[in-house]
Structures are given as C-alpha cells and as structure tokens.
Amino acid sequence: PERQWKPNVTVAAVIERDGAFLLVEEQTEDGIRYNQPAGHLEDGESLIEAVVRETLEESACDFRPEALLGIYQYRQPSSEVTYLRFAFTGTLSEPQPGRALDTGILRALWMPAEEIRARRDRHRSPLLMQCIDDYISGQRHPLQLLHHHH
C-alpha cells in the first residue's frame, strides 16, 4: 500500500510585550535566522502542551496560552516539506535563571514589528511575519476550538 503523506505539525508562540515581539535567533542550515519560539508536536502531546514546552526550551520562560492565533499551512520550497503550524498567543513569565536554551538557539530577544519586517532576509519562514500581522490585526480564536482526547 502507498504510504500516506503527512505534514509536519508544529506549534509557535506569538508573544507581544510593550510593542515588541519575542523572537529566537537560531542556527539553521541557511545560517542564523529569526523565528518565534516554535517546534514540532511530539507523540502523545496536546498542541497546548507542545507550545508550552517549546517556548520553555527556546526562551527559558513559562508560556500561558490564552488564544489560538491561527492555523498556517506552508510548503518550504527548498525541501518541499509542508508545515501545519498552530500559533498561540498568551502571557510569558520572566526567564528562569540559569536555564539553558535548546541546542541551536543562540538567544531569545524582543524586537518591534517594524524592525522584524525590515529583516525579512533573516526570517526562518514567511510564517514569522504572517503571524505577527495577524496578531496586530486582532485575530484571536478561543482555545476551546481544540480538543485533545487522551
């Protein structure tokens, strides 16, 4: 039987504080790139659990999701891998002192939207700016849209 095609399911945290957005600077195959704290859904995890875990691993901060920002489908031209991204927004704690960041993550930083827009050449994917634009436009969906059956 032919193997069923599946997209890569990812999660991302879109967090704004005083007009700046939380980004991570990461080492990728294409050089140093910016992204939201983001990563892959792991086996047995809910989407909410995944975004909390990824944000902690990449920023050393506890993330409390309050809304689903959107669901994004993106096919990366170079690899032809398709990503299905669930982006969340919510509140963030201060960083946990002494907590190491994930391998490949150089630092977490806050950057105003216009500065992020001006650095498109450093974006990990077009989803970075799309999510910020959707956040700025006020797009929010209740977390009750998501059902995780154990």
mmCIF file of all heavy atoms in Angstrom, residues 15-52:
data_model
loop_
_atom_site.group_PDB
_atom_site.id
_atom_site.type_symbol
_atom_site.label_atom_id
_atom_site.label_comp_id
_atom_site.label_asym_id
_atom_site.label_seq_id
_atom_site.Cartn_x
_atom_site.Cartn_y
_atom_site.Cartn_z
ATOM 1 N N ILE A 15 4.156 36.256 21.073
ATOM 2 C CA ILE A 15 4.026 36.965 22.341
ATOM 3 C C ILE A 15 4.505 38.394 22.174
ATOM 4 O O ILE A 15 5.620 38.629 21.697
ATOM 5 C CB ILE A 15 4.842 36.252 23.436
ATOM 6 C CG1 ILE A 15 4.381 34.786 23.561
ATOM 7 C CG2 ILE A 15 4.704 36.982 24.769
ATOM 8 C CD1 ILE A 15 5.406 33.889 24.210
ATOM 9 N N GLU A 16 3.642 39.332 22.574
ATOM 10 C CA GLU A 16 3.946 40.758 22.436
ATOM 11 C C GLU A 16 4.035 41.376 23.819
ATOM 12 O O GLU A 16 3.268 41.035 24.709
ATOM 13 C CB GLU A 16 2.852 41.435 21.613
ATOM 14 C CG GLU A 16 3.080 42.911 21.360
ATOM 15 C CD GLU A 16 2.271 43.796 22.276
ATOM 16 O OE1 GLU A 16 1.289 43.308 22.878
ATOM 17 O OE2 GLU A 16 2.616 44.982 22.390
ATOM 18 N N ARG A 17 5.005 42.265 23.993
ATOM 19 C CA ARG A 17 5.159 42.987 25.253
ATOM 20 C C ARG A 17 5.632 44.398 24.908
ATOM 21 O O ARG A 17 6.701 44.544 24.307
ATOM 22 C CB ARG A 17 6.176 42.255 26.135
ATOM 23 C CG ARG A 17 6.272 42.799 27.547
ATOM 24 C CD ARG A 17 7.340 42.055 28.342
ATOM 25 N NE ARG A 17 6.857 40.749 28.813
ATOM 26 C CZ ARG A 17 7.645 39.837 29.357
ATOM 27 N NH1 ARG A 17 8.934 40.045 29.468
ATOM 28 N NH2 ARG A 17 7.142 38.696 29.777
ATOM 29 N N ASP A 18 4.823 45.401 25.253
ATOM 30 C CA ASP A 18 5.187 46.808 25.015
ATOM 31 C C ASP A 18 5.584 47.074 23.563
ATOM 32 O O ASP A 18 6.564 47.767 23.292
ATOM 33 C CB ASP A 18 6.330 47.236 25.951
ATOM 34 C CG ASP A 18 5.947 47.054 27.423
ATOM 35 O OD1 ASP A 18 4.766 47.281 27.749
ATOM 36 O OD2 ASP A 18 6.817 46.687 28.225
ATOM 37 N N GLY A 19 4.852 46.481 22.632
ATOM 38 C CA GLY A 19 5.091 46.745 21.215
ATOM 39 C C GLY A 19 6.206 45.927 20.592
ATOM 40 O O GLY A 19 6.500 46.078 19.408
ATOM 41 N N ALA A 20 6.840 45.053 21.369
ATOM 42 C CA ALA A 20 7.900 44.197 20.829
ATOM 43 C C ALA A 20 7.450 42.736 20.914
ATOM 44 O O ALA A 20 6.635 42.370 21.756
ATOM 45 C CB ALA A 20 9.195 44.405 21.604
ATOM 46 N N PHE A 21 7.994 41.917 20.021
ATOM 47 C CA PHE A 21 7.622 40.506 19.943
ATOM 48 C C PHE A 21 8.798 39.629 20.325
ATOM 49 O O PHE A 21 9.948 39.932 19.999
ATOM 50 C CB PHE A 21 7.150 40.155 18.530
ATOM 51 C CG PHE A 21 5.807 40.740 18.206
ATOM 52 C CD1 PHE A 21 5.701 42.031 17.716
ATOM 53 C CD2 PHE A 21 4.641 40.020 18.423
ATOM 54 C CE1 PHE A 21 4.461 42.592 17.438
ATOM 55 C CE2 PHE A 21 3.405 40.568 18.150
ATOM 56 C CZ PHE A 21 3.310 41.857 17.668
ATOM 57 N N LEU A 22 8.493 38.530 21.018
ATOM 58 C CA LEU A 22 9.519 37.577 21.414
ATOM 59 C C LEU A 22 9.959 36.769 20.195
ATOM 60 O O LEU A 22 9.140 36.142 19.533
ATOM 61 C CB LEU A 22 8.976 36.630 22.491
ATOM 62 C CG LEU A 22 9.959 35.552 22.971
ATOM 63 C CD1 LEU A 22 11.143 36.176 23.713
ATOM 64 C CD2 LEU A 22 9.254 34.540 23.859
ATOM 65 N N LEU A 23 11.264 36.812 19.930
ATOM 66 C CA LEU A 23 11.847 36.006 18.858
ATOM 67 C C LEU A 23 12.966 35.153 19.432
ATOM 68 O O LEU A 23 13.496 35.444 20.498
ATOM 69 C CB LEU A 23 12.455 36.901 17.771
ATOM 70 C CG LEU A 23 11.540 37.840 17.001
ATOM 71 C CD1 LEU A 23 12.342 38.559 15.927
ATOM 72 C CD2 LEU A 23 10.362 37.106 16.400
ATOM 73 N N VAL A 24 13.322 34.115 18.695
ATOM 74 C CA VAL A 24 14.542 33.386 18.990
ATOM 75 C C VAL A 24 15.440 33.501 17.764
ATOM 76 O O VAL A 24 14.969 33.532 16.627
ATOM 77 C CB VAL A 24 14.294 31.904 19.361
ATOM 78 C CG1 VAL A 24 13.537 31.815 20.678
ATOM 79 C CG2 VAL A 24 13.561 31.156 18.272
ATOM 80 N N GLU A 25 16.727 33.624 18.047
ATOM 81 C CA GLU A 25 17.727 33.641 16.992
ATOM 82 C C GLU A 25 18.307 32.236 16.975
ATOM 83 O O GLU A 25 18.784 31.752 18.004
ATOM 84 C CB GLU A 25 18.791 34.682 17.358
ATOM 85 C CG GLU A 25 19.669 35.100 16.224
ATOM 86 C CD GLU A 25 20.591 36.238 16.662
ATOM 87 O OE1 GLU A 25 21.278 36.102 17.704
ATOM 88 O OE2 GLU A 25 20.613 37.253 15.965
ATOM 89 N N GLU A 26 18.215 31.572 15.824
ATOM 90 C CA GLU A 26 18.635 30.174 15.785
ATOM 91 C C GLU A 26 19.568 29.897 14.623
ATOM 92 O O GLU A 26 19.500 30.527 13.578
ATOM 93 C CB GLU A 26 17.417 29.236 15.750
ATOM 94 C CG GLU A 26 16.432 29.476 14.637
ATOM 95 C CD GLU A 26 15.179 28.621 14.767
ATOM 96 O OE1 GLU A 26 15.209 27.586 15.448
ATOM 97 O OE2 GLU A 26 14.174 28.986 14.157
ATOM 98 N N GLN A 27 20.439 28.923 14.859
ATOM 99 C CA GLN A 27 21.366 28.462 13.829
ATOM 100 C C GLN A 27 20.629 27.451 12.966
ATOM 101 O O GLN A 27 20.108 26.468 13.483
ATOM 102 C CB GLN A 27 22.577 27.806 14.504
ATOM 103 C CG GLN A 27 23.707 27.491 13.547
ATOM 104 C CD GLN A 27 24.409 28.741 13.036
ATOM 105 O OE1 GLN A 27 24.858 29.553 13.809
ATOM 106 N NE2 GLN A 27 24.470 28.893 11.731
ATOM 107 N N THR A 28 20.531 27.701 11.655
ATOM 108 C CA THR A 28 19.847 26.777 10.745
ATOM 109 C C THR A 28 20.807 26.402 9.605
ATOM 110 O O THR A 28 21.905 26.952 9.499
ATOM 111 C CB THR A 28 18.590 27.429 10.117
ATOM 112 O OG1 THR A 28 18.999 28.391 9.129
ATOM 113 C CG2 THR A 28 17.721 28.108 11.178
ATOM 114 N N GLU A 29 20.357 25.499 8.739
ATOM 115 C CA GLU A 29 21.162 25.119 7.569
ATOM 116 C C GLU A 29 21.401 26.326 6.662
ATOM 117 O O GLU A 29 22.352 26.351 5.887
ATOM 118 C CB GLU A 29 20.459 24.000 6.790
ATOM 119 C CG GLU A 29 20.422 22.684 7.534
ATOM 120 C CD GLU A 29 19.505 21.657 6.891
ATOM 121 O OE1 GLU A 29 19.033 21.895 5.757
ATOM 122 O OE2 GLU A 29 19.258 20.620 7.527
ATOM 123 N N ASP A 30 20.516 27.319 6.744
ATOM 124 C CA ASP A 30 20.633 28.519 5.910
ATOM 125 C C ASP A 30 21.304 29.675 6.649
ATOM 126 O O ASP A 30 21.226 30.817 6.207
ATOM 127 C CB ASP A 30 19.233 28.966 5.448
ATOM 128 C CG ASP A 30 18.523 27.876 4.652
ATOM 129 O OD1 ASP A 30 19.176 27.248 3.805
ATOM 130 O OD2 ASP A 30 17.321 27.655 4.891
ATOM 131 N N GLY A 31 21.935 29.390 7.787
ATOM 132 C CA GLY A 31 22.572 30.444 8.563
ATOM 133 C C GLY A 31 21.720 30.843 9.754
ATOM 134 O O GLY A 31 20.777 30.137 10.128
ATOM 135 N N ILE A 32 22.032 31.982 10.351
ATOM 136 C CA ILE A 32 21.314 32.441 11.538
ATOM 137 C C ILE A 32 19.991 33.071 11.107
ATOM 138 O O ILE A 32 19.969 33.957 10.247
ATOM 139 C CB ILE A 32 22.182 33.428 12.339
ATOM 140 C CG1 ILE A 32 23.417 32.697 12.891
ATOM 141 C CG2 ILE A 32 21.377 34.043 13.487
ATOM 142 C CD1 ILE A 32 24.458 33.609 13.502
ATOM 143 N N ARG A 33 18.906 32.591 11.702
ATOM 144 C CA ARG A 33 17.568 33.045 11.324
ATOM 145 C C ARG A 33 16.751 33.399 12.565
ATOM 146 O O ARG A 33 17.016 32.903 13.667
ATOM 147 C CB ARG A 33 16.828 31.943 10.544
ATOM 148 C CG ARG A 33 17.421 31.637 9.178
ATOM 149 C CD ARG A 33 17.159 32.752 8.184
ATOM 150 N NE ARG A 33 17.730 32.497 6.884
ATOM 151 C CZ ARG A 33 18.907 32.944 6.470
ATOM 152 N NH1 ARG A 33 19.667 33.637 7.294
ATOM 153 N NH2 ARG A 33 19.336 32.685 5.258
ATOM 154 N N TYR A 34 15.719 34.229 12.349
ATOM 155 C CA TYR A 34 14.760 34.585 13.397
ATOM 156 C C TYR A 34 13.502 33.749 13.241
ATOM 157 O O TYR A 34 13.058 33.462 12.126
ATOM 158 C CB TYR A 34 14.359 36.059 13.288
ATOM 159 C CG TYR A 34 15.467 37.028 13.592
ATOM 160 C CD1 TYR A 34 15.905 37.939 12.628
ATOM 161 C CD2 TYR A 34 16.067 37.071 14.850
ATOM 162 C CE1 TYR A 34 16.910 38.840 12.905
ATOM 163 C CE2 TYR A 34 17.072 37.972 15.134
ATOM 164 C CZ TYR A 34 17.493 38.854 14.155
ATOM 165 O OH TYR A 34 18.488 39.751 14.436
ATOM 166 N N ASN A 35 12.897 33.427 14.364
ATOM 167 C CA ASN A 35 11.605 32.736 14.366
ATOM 168 C C ASN A 35 10.924 33.037 15.692
ATOM 169 O O ASN A 35 11.558 33.528 16.629
ATOM 170 C CB ASN A 35 11.808 31.228 14.214
ATOM 171 C CG ASN A 35 10.563 30.488 13.758
ATOM 172 O OD1 ASN A 35 9.538 31.090 13.444
ATOM 173 N ND2 ASN A 35 10.652 29.170 13.698
ATOM 174 N N GLN A 36 9.638 32.741 15.772
ATOM 175 C CA GLN A 36 9.009 32.694 17.078
ATOM 176 C C GLN A 36 9.506 31.433 17.784
ATOM 177 O O GLN A 36 9.975 30.503 17.118
ATOM 178 C CB GLN A 36 7.474 32.600 16.938
ATOM 179 C CG GLN A 36 6.790 33.904 16.635
ATOM 180 C CD GLN A 36 6.477 34.064 15.159
ATOM 181 O OE1 GLN A 36 6.665 33.170 14.355
ATOM 182 N NE2 GLN A 36 5.971 35.232 14.806
ATOM 183 N N PRO A 37 9.390 31.369 19.122
ATOM 184 C CA PRO A 37 9.614 30.071 19.770
ATOM 185 C C PRO A 37 8.639 29.072 19.137
ATOM 186 O O PRO A 37 7.430 29.315 19.107
ATOM 187 C CB PRO A 37 9.267 30.333 21.236
ATOM 188 C CG PRO A 37 9.442 31.813 21.414
ATOM 189 C CD PRO A 37 9.052 32.418 20.091
ATOM 190 N N ALA A 38 9.177 27.991 18.591
ATOM 191 C CA ALA A 38 8.349 27.074 17.805
ATOM 192 C C ALA A 38 9.022 25.718 17.709
ATOM 193 O O ALA A 38 10.227 25.600 17.919
ATOM 194 C CB ALA A 38 8.127 27.646 16.394
ATOM 195 N N GLY A 39 8.235 24.711 17.375
ATOM 196 C CA GLY A 39 8.803 23.389 17.195
ATOM 197 C C GLY A 39 7.731 22.373 16.885
ATOM 198 O O GLY A 39 6.561 22.716 16.683
ATOM 199 N N HIS A 40 8.139 21.119 16.866
ATOM 200 C CA HIS A 40 7.260 20.032 16.431
ATOM 201 C C HIS A 40 6.421 19.471 17.574
ATOM 202 O O HIS A 40 6.885 19.376 18.700
ATOM 203 C CB HIS A 40 8.093 18.908 15.810
ATOM 204 C CG HIS A 40 8.698 19.296 14.503
ATOM 205 N ND1 HIS A 40 8.155 18.953 13.298
ATOM 206 C CD2 HIS A 40 9.794 20.044 14.224
ATOM 207 C CE1 HIS A 40 8.893 19.450 12.323
ATOM 208 N NE2 HIS A 40 9.901 20.122 12.853
ATOM 209 N N LEU A 41 5.209 19.104 17.229
ATOM 210 C CA LEU A 41 4.337 18.364 18.134
ATOM 211 C C LEU A 41 4.947 16.982 18.341
ATOM 212 O O LEU A 41 5.307 16.312 17.371
ATOM 213 C CB LEU A 41 2.940 18.241 17.502
ATOM 214 C CG LEU A 41 1.887 17.456 18.267
ATOM 215 C CD1 LEU A 41 1.491 18.188 19.543
ATOM 216 C CD2 LEU A 41 0.657 17.238 17.382
ATOM 217 N N GLU A 42 5.065 16.568 19.606
ATOM 218 C CA GLU A 42 5.624 15.256 19.904
ATOM 219 C C GLU A 42 4.515 14.242 20.193
ATOM 220 O O GLU A 42 3.395 14.606 20.550
ATOM 221 C CB GLU A 42 6.603 15.351 21.080
ATOM 222 C CG GLU A 42 7.838 16.144 20.718
ATOM 223 C CD GLU A 42 8.880 16.212 21.821
ATOM 224 O OE1 GLU A 42 8.627 15.696 22.940
ATOM 225 O OE2 GLU A 42 9.949 16.799 21.559
ATOM 226 N N ASP A 43 4.857 12.989 20.033
ATOM 227 C CA ASP A 43 3.907 11.895 20.220
ATOM 228 C C ASP A 43 3.280 11.960 21.611
ATOM 229 O O ASP A 43 3.989 12.089 22.613
ATOM 230 C CB ASP A 43 4.631 10.558 20.035
ATOM 231 C CG ASP A 43 3.679 9.379 20.032
ATOM 232 O OD1 ASP A 43 2.483 9.557 19.728
ATOM 233 O OD2 ASP A 43 4.135 8.268 20.346
ATOM 234 N N GLY A 44 1.955 11.916 21.688
ATOM 235 C CA GLY A 44 1.243 11.889 22.962
ATOM 236 C C GLY A 44 0.961 13.255 23.552
ATOM 237 O O GLY A 44 0.293 13.361 24.577
ATOM 238 N N GLU A 45 1.484 14.307 22.928
ATOM 239 C CA GLU A 45 1.353 15.659 23.448
ATOM 240 C C GLU A 45 0.107 16.338 22.873
ATOM 241 O O GLU A 45 -0.255 16.110 21.727
ATOM 242 C CB GLU A 45 2.563 16.455 22.935
ATOM 243 C CG GLU A 45 3.320 17.201 23.919
ATOM 244 C CD GLU A 45 4.547 17.878 23.314
ATOM 245 O OE1 GLU A 45 4.744 17.949 22.096
ATOM 246 O OE2 GLU A 45 5.324 18.364 24.140
ATOM 247 N N SER A 46 -0.504 17.218 23.663
ATOM 248 C CA SER A 46 -1.532 18.090 23.090
ATOM 249 C C SER A 46 -0.827 19.287 22.454
ATOM 250 O O SER A 46 0.347 19.566 22.743
ATOM 251 C CB SER A 46 -2.497 18.571 24.173
ATOM 252 O OG SER A 46 -1.858 19.521 25.008
ATOM 253 N N LEU A 47 -1.525 20.016 21.604
ATOM 254 C CA LEU A 47 -0.952 21.213 20.979
ATOM 255 C C LEU A 47 -0.555 22.241 22.039
ATOM 256 O O LEU A 47 0.490 22.882 21.938
ATOM 257 C CB LEU A 47 -1.937 21.814 19.983
ATOM 258 C CG LEU A 47 -2.169 20.970 18.723
ATOM 259 C CD1 LEU A 47 -3.462 21.385 18.046
ATOM 260 C CD2 LEU A 47 -0.990 21.063 17.764
ATOM 261 N N ILE A 48 -1.393 22.385 23.070
ATOM 262 C CA ILE A 48 -1.109 23.333 24.151
ATOM 263 C C ILE A 48 0.156 22.916 24.896
ATOM 264 O O ILE A 48 1.040 23.735 25.163
ATOM 265 C CB ILE A 48 -2.301 23.401 25.138
ATOM 266 C CG1 ILE A 48 -3.583 23.838 24.431
ATOM 267 C CG2 ILE A 48 -1.968 24.291 26.341
ATOM 268 C CD1 ILE A 48 -3.766 25.306 24.270
ATOM 269 N N GLU A 49 0.249 21.628 25.243
ATOM 270 C CA GLU A 49 1.444 21.134 25.936
ATOM 271 C C GLU A 49 2.693 21.374 25.089
ATOM 272 O O GLU A 49 3.747 21.753 25.601
ATOM 273 C CB GLU A 49 1.302 19.636 26.245
ATOM 274 C CG GLU A 49 0.274 19.343 27.325
ATOM 275 C CD GLU A 49 -0.151 17.875 27.384
ATOM 276 O OE1 GLU A 49 0.163 17.091 26.452
ATOM 277 O OE2 GLU A 49 -0.829 17.514 28.365
ATOM 278 N N ALA A 50 2.566 21.177 23.781
ATOM 279 C CA ALA A 50 3.715 21.338 22.880
ATOM 280 C C ALA A 50 4.194 22.784 22.845
ATOM 281 O O ALA A 50 5.402 23.044 22.900
ATOM 282 C CB ALA A 50 3.348 20.874 21.473
ATOM 283 N N VAL A 51 3.279 23.741 22.750
ATOM 284 C CA VAL A 51 3.721 25.142 22.650
ATOM 285 C C VAL A 51 4.296 25.636 23.975
ATOM 286 O O VAL A 51 5.246 26.423 24.001
ATOM 287 C CB VAL A 51 2.609 26.064 22.103
ATOM 288 C CG1 VAL A 51 1.530 26.372 23.148
ATOM 289 C CG2 VAL A 51 3.211 27.355 21.542
ATOM 290 N N VAL A 52 3.773 25.142 25.088
ATOM 291 C CA VAL A 52 4.336 25.490 26.402
ATOM 292 C C VAL A 52 5.762 24.928 26.505
ATOM 293 O O VAL A 52 6.694 25.630 26.918
ATOM 294 C CB VAL A 52 3.430 24.973 27.541
ATOM 295 C CG1 VAL A 52 4.132 25.068 28.890
ATOM 296 C CG2 VAL A 52 2.118 25.750 27.554
#
